Amino acid sequence: MKIGVIGGGQLGRMLALAGTPLGQQFAFLDPAPDACAQALGEHIRADYGDRDHLRQLADEVDLVTFEFESVPAETVAFLSQFVPVYPSAEALRIARDRWFEKSMFQDLGVPTPEFADIQSQDNLDAAVKRIGLPAVLKTRTLGYDGKGQKVLRHPEDVDGAFAELGSVPCILEGFVPFTGEVSLIAVRGRDGQTCCYPLVHNSHEQGILRLSVASTNHPLQSLAEDYASRVLDKLNYVGVLAFEFFEVDGGLKANEIAPRVHNSGHWTIEGAECSQFENHLRAIAGLPLGSTAKVGESAMINFIGSVPPVEQVTALADCHLHHYGKAFKAGRKVGHATLRCSDSAVLQARIDEVMQLIDKG
Amino acid sequence: MKIGVIGGGQLGRMLALAGTPLGQQFAFLDPAPDACAQALGEHIRADYGDRDHLRQLADEVDLVTFEFESVPAETVAFLSQFVPVYPSAEALRIARDRWFEKSMFQDLGVPTPEFADIQSQDNLDAAVKRIGLPAVLKTRTLGYDGKGQKVLRHPEDVDGAFAELGSVPCILEGFVPFTGEVSLIAVRGRDGQTCCYPLVHNSHEQGILRLSVASTNHPLQSLAEDYASRVLDKLNYVGVLAFEFFEVDGGLKANEIAPRVHNSGHWTIEGAECSQFENHLRAIAGLPLGSTAKVGESAMINFIGSVPPVEQVTALADCHLHHYGKAFKAGRKVGHATLRCSDSAVLQARIDEVMQLIDKG
């Protein structure tokens, strides 16, 4: 089976590393000449809207999937004429737009922060009156890693904020006094079979995920799985879907979903019986899903901007390096390390060691 | 770092799957148009003696390694002029020739079956008188998977046996009444650091490895490691070296070594902290070695001739599929499954399930 992937970054690269042992082959459509997934498959270098090359991809592969959710809707619609596309155009339409996303949460009874659609500064002023400050103004589409958003703390932050974000459709979200951020990586097969990995605690630095720690018997696991299954079934979803939640007052509020393999699930390569990458591929290929059970205690630490010297990372015990082969650049995710340990005390010590290595760099 | 691999089969493929997350890139020199490693790196399609293409490879990569031991000596010598080659020409010279290999065991005090150099039928007749029957006549070089050998049980089997194997240099080996076959996968770094995986019990079918089961606290582990370290240090070896032993009278007799990653070490991908593939690459790249400790109880089952339907293999619990992407052909290793379980009783049940799937095919 040959699988087409829209996007050829590290997620595509890790998909191919997981799928090759299943006998799958890969083609990546990505305009970047140095797309790092190209080491592991065919690279069709073209813009995401380039119909000739999209058609070429569709003709070569058995099905198409995505590495990122901001794929143009027209691209998805065009491809869908020729080849199965997972997740579906509808799932992408919802997930790429914060307004659709939060409206769906609300419709399904999944708690989410207060929110309002913002099409103008007037809308914003009215919404701030209703929701109050602090609040976060975010572009409805295309935001990631803290980009495309502005925290509004004081009345003067509100003035001109709509223009600051480019006068594009936005959403205002009420600030949530959360005690933690967790994510749930779920996967749903073509036949509706659904599995979830253990909840992951996430820590961010400057808006970018730095650390994910897989939990054990998290008290909110079944609640999170309940919320996830409502969304998965509603969308008739196929593949991996990542849910980000805020922990609030002993409950959960849904922040957003990502219709793809997710950074907070990278620990599953070593830390789970079957990784999120393999399970995404199993799901879209119509294969039985693999076990999402943990193997030991795991955490993932992102390398942002640069990867510490390989001889130093590989010298650390219980540490598994994932170098994406990308050019180093400030703020860019260029690799990660997974720690897999026998118990959580050892895990915490190992996390400290990796953090020290990063701080030295 | 870019690594050149002579040979582009499944071992090269699994090396690249292990090395890509270390940030390594790969080029494979292999004459086969369908060399299955090409999905994961550059494919230089050329004969192993093609100096122009060997030179091209040497110019492109930082170091060269091998997927098989029968690489022509001239190829190794030629490459060594331009680029570091691991393991060394001397290690390959010994390992590819059963006479050199067994003579080295003898010199190092490593027990091995009785053996004799056979250059003619007269040599053979004389050696059979000394060693007795049954015995095994093997070509000194190029034998694998039971090919290039003949078991001599009765005097009439001896007549003409030298000609039957092609009148090439052979070795006669005394038959060993072994109770089991085990292998030790060892790895030695550029700095001499040595690590060994747990001993593996191997079972063959028609001369081809079918099943490898990783042992726990094997009583012969330290003896095997002692023998291995003698050989590794003698050869100043760098990389993974596989040792095959017969279990005889509560001790070990060395059968042969393979100067490369080895089929009986494939279980380490899921079953050990750091796989034999990653450790080979760490060793030759001058990186610290990774842990050879087991993760759970593991076994590896080869798929010979064909891979059972992927949807059936992936439906099995605790089972990890490795499809090599090769054309199916009787007697050819085209994939394997690794089973990783919490205990050995479950492991045995899982082995039976995979065997049943194979028998159905």
Side-chain angles (χ1 to χ4, degrees):
Chain A
M1 175 173 282
K2 189 166 179 179
I3 294 177
V5 183
I6 305 297
Q10 66 263 26
L11 301 183
R13 184 173 160 108
M14 289 185 275
L15 281 169
L17 286 170
T20 300
L22 299 177
Q24 296 171 340
Q25 297 174 288
F26 292 84
F28 305 96
L29 189 139
D30 193 313
D34 58 349
C36 71
Q38 68 186 288
L40 303 167
E42 180 186 355
H43 180 201
I44 299 177
R45 191 179 158 192
D47 287 329
Y48 298 123
D50 176 336
R51 293 197 163 200
D52 288 344
H53 285 97
L54 288 170
R55 184 63 205 263
Q56 180 197 332
L57 180 74
D59 287 346
E60 282 184 20
V61 303
D62 299 292
L63 53 86
V64 168
T65 189
F66 302 91
E67 205 204 30
F68 62 106
E69 57 269 39
S70 54
V71 179
E74 308 73 45
T75 297
V76 183
F78 180 77
L79 284 167
S80 300
Q81 299 173 69
F82 309 109
V83 67
V85 171
Y86 301 109
S88 68
E90 174 62 6
L92 286 171
R93 186 184 72 82
I94 303 285
R96 85 162 72 82
D97 185 306
R98 296 178 193 281
W99 169 256
F100 294 149
E101 188 179 58
K102 287 212 157 48
S103 301
M104 177 184 65
F105 294 152
Q106 201 168 51
D107 293 346
L108 296 173
V110 175
T112 192
E114 278 200 276
F115 63 100
D117 187 28
I118 306 296
Q119 303 281 348
S120 66
Q121 184 67 38
D122 282 352
N123 283 166
L124 178 59
D125 294 337
V128 167
K129 281 214 178 80
R130 175 167 70 82
I131 292 175
L133 293 182
V136 191
L137 185 65
K138 300 177 177 176
T139 59
R140 277 176 54 166
T141 62
L142 292 173
Y144 70 99
D145 286 352
K147 298 184 177 79
Q149 55 181 270
K150 182 177 179 182
V151 179
L152 311 178
R153 295 184 188 279
H154 311 289
E156 57 268 32
D157 297 338
V158 179
D159 297 340
F162 183 70
E164 254 182 81
L165 287 189
S167 299
V168 295
C170 284
I171 184 172
L172 185 72
E173 297 178 7
F175 218 69
V176 172
F178 59 87
T179 53
E181 292 177 85
V182 294
S183 57
L184 184 76
I185 309 294
V187 57
R188 187 171 181 276
R190 285 199 213 164
D191 60 357
Q193 184 197 0
T194 298
C195 299
C196 297
Y197 291 91
L199 275 169
V200 178
H201 288 276
N202 298 316
S203 309
H204 294 77
E205 281 177 18
Q206 299 174 317
I208 304 176
L209 182 67
R210 169 62 87 183
L211 171 68
S212 292
V213 182
S215 66
T216 301
N217 300 324
H218 196 291
L220 297 172
Q221 181 77 29
S222 60
L223 184 64
E225 293 193 14
D226 170 34
Y227 293 158
S229 66
R230 296 185 207 182
V231 171
L232 289 163
D233 291 342
K234 168 73 180 174
L235 295 173
N236 193 22
Y237 194 85
V238 177
V240 162
L241 184 65
F243 292 77
E244 294 187 30
F245 294 105
F246 298 120
E247 285 185 276
V248 187
D249 293 336
L252 294 171
K253 282 187 194 281
N255 177 26
E256 61 180 28
I257 53 174
R260 54 172 167 81
V261 287
H262 191 259
N263 197 170
S264 68
H266 290 359
W267 65 274
T268 60
I269 297 175
E270 290 87 8
E273 289 292 347
C274 181
S275 76
Q276 67 164 347
F277 299 98
E278 181 172 338
N279 255 333
H280 181 71
L281 295 167
R282 285 180 178 227
I284 65 178
L287 296 170
L289 301 183
S291 166
T292 53
K294 280 201 304 178
V295 178
E297 298 296 325
S298 277
M300 188 270 338
I301 296 165
N302 268 337
F303 295 132
I304 301 163
S306 65
V307 177
V310 172
E311 65 276 14
Q312 293 180 19
V313 182
T314 50
L316 298 177
D318 302 326
C319 182
H320 302 269
L321 171 62
H322 296 264
H323 193 301
Y324 303 154
K326 293 162 67 171
F328 294 172
K329 192 176 146 190
R332 192 180 205 199
K333 294 173 182 171
V334 290
H336 75 266
T338 300
L339 299 165
R340 179 182 59 193
C341 302
S342 50
D343 66 63
S344 49
V346 175
L347 179 64
Q348 188 53 57
R350 300 296 186 228
I351 291 171
D352 293 344
E353 288 171 10
V354 176
M355 290 301 190
Q356 280 165 24
L357 206 54
I358 290 171
D359 290 341
K360 264 191 357 194
Chain B
M1 175 173 282
K2 188 164 178 181
I3 293 176
V5 183
I6 306 296
Q10 66 263 27
L11 301 182
R13 184 172 160 108
M14 289 185 274
L15 281 169
L17 287 169
T20 301
L22 300 178
Q24 297 170 340
Q25 298 175 288
F26 292 85
F28 304 96
L29 189 138
D30 192 314
D34 58 350
C36 70
Q38 68 186 286
L40 303 167
E42 180 186 356
H43 181 199
I44 299 177
R45 191 178 157 194
D47 288 327
Y48 298 123
D50 177 335
R51 293 197 163 200
D52 288 344
H53 285 97
L54 288 169
R55 184 62 203 263
Q56 180 198 332
L57 180 74
D59 287 346
E60 281 184 20
V61 302
D62 298 292
L63 53 86
V64 168
T65 190
F66 302 91
E67 206 204 29
F68 61 107
E69 56 269 39
S70 54
V71 179
E74 309 72 48
T75 296
V76 183
F78 180 77
L79 285 167
S80 300
Q81 299 173 69
F82 309 109
V83 68
V85 171
Y86 301 110
S88 68
E90 175 62 6
L92 286 170
R93 186 184 73 84
I94 302 286
R96 87 162 70 82
D97 185 306
R98 295 180 195 279
W99 169 256
F100 294 149
E101 187 179 56
K102 287 209 157 50
S103 300
M104 178 185 62
F105 294 152
Q106 202 168 49
D107 292 346
L108 295 173
V110 175
T112 192
E114 276 200 277
F115 63 100
D117 187 28
I118 306 296
Q119 303 281 348
S120 67
Q121 183 68 36
D122 283 352
N123 284 167
L124 177 59
D125 294 337
V128 166
K129 279 213 181 82
R130 176 167 69 82
I131 292 174
L133 293 180
V136 192
L137 185 66
K138 299 177 177 176
T139 58
R140 278 177 53 168
T141 63
L142 294 172
Y144 70 100
D145 286 354
K147 297 185 178 80
Q149 56 180 270
K150 182 178 175 169
V151 179
L152 311 178
R153 295 184 189 280
H154 311 290
E156 58 268 31
D157 296 338
V158 180
D159 299 339
F162 183 70
E164 254 182 80
L165 286 189
S167 299
V168 295
C170 284
I171 186 172
L172 185 73
E173 296 178 7
F175 218 69
V176 172
F178 60 86
T179 52
E181 292 177 86
V182 294
S183 57
L184 184 76
I185 308 293
V187 57
R188 187 171 180 276
R190 284 201 213 164
D191 60 357
Q193 186 197 359
T194 299
C195 298
C196 298
Y197 291 92
L199 275 168
V200 178
H201 288 277
N202 298 314
S203 310
H204 294 77
E205 281 177 16
Q206 300 175 317
I208 304 176
L209 182 68
R210 170 62 85 184
L211 170 67
S212 292
V213 183
S215 67
T216 301
N217 300 325
H218 196 292
L220 297 173
Q221 182 77 29
S222 60
L223 184 65
E225 293 193 13
D226 171 33
Y227 293 159
S229 67
R230 296 184 207 182
V231 171
L232 289 163
D233 291 341
K234 169 73 179 173
L235 296 173
N236 193 22
Y237 194 86
V238 176
V240 161
L241 184 64
F243 293 77
E244 295 187 29
F245 293 104
F246 298 120
E247 285 185 276
V248 186
D249 293 335
L252 296 171
K253 281 185 193 282
N255 177 26
E256 62 180 29
I257 54 175
R260 53 171 168 81
V261 289
H262 192 258
N263 197 169
S264 69
H266 290 0
W267 64 274
T268 60
I269 297 175
E270 290 86 9
E273 289 291 348
C274 181
S275 76
Q276 66 164 348
F277 299 99
E278 182 173 337
N279 256 332
H280 181 70
L281 295 166
R282 285 180 178 228
I284 65 178
L287 296 170
L289 302 182
S291 167
T292 52
K294 281 200 305 179
V295 179
E297 299 296 324
S298 277
M300 188 274 334
I301 296 165
N302 269 337
F303 295 132
I304 301 163
S306 66
V307 176
V310 172
E311 65 276 16
Q312 293 181 20
V313 182
T314 51
L316 298 177
D318 302 326
C319 183
H320 302 270
L321 172 61
H322 296 264
H323 193 302
Y324 303 155
K326 292 162 69 171
F328 294 172
K329 192 177 145 191
R332 193 181 204 197
K333 293 173 181 170
V334 291
H336 75 265
T338 300
L339 300 165
R340 180 182 58 193
C341 302
S342 51
D343 66 62
S344 48
V346 175
L347 180 63
Q348 188 53 56
R350 300 297 186 226
I351 291 171
D352 293 345
E353 289 171 10
V354 176
M355 289 300 190
Q356 280 165 25
L357 206 54
I358 290 172
D359 290 342
K360 264 191 357 194

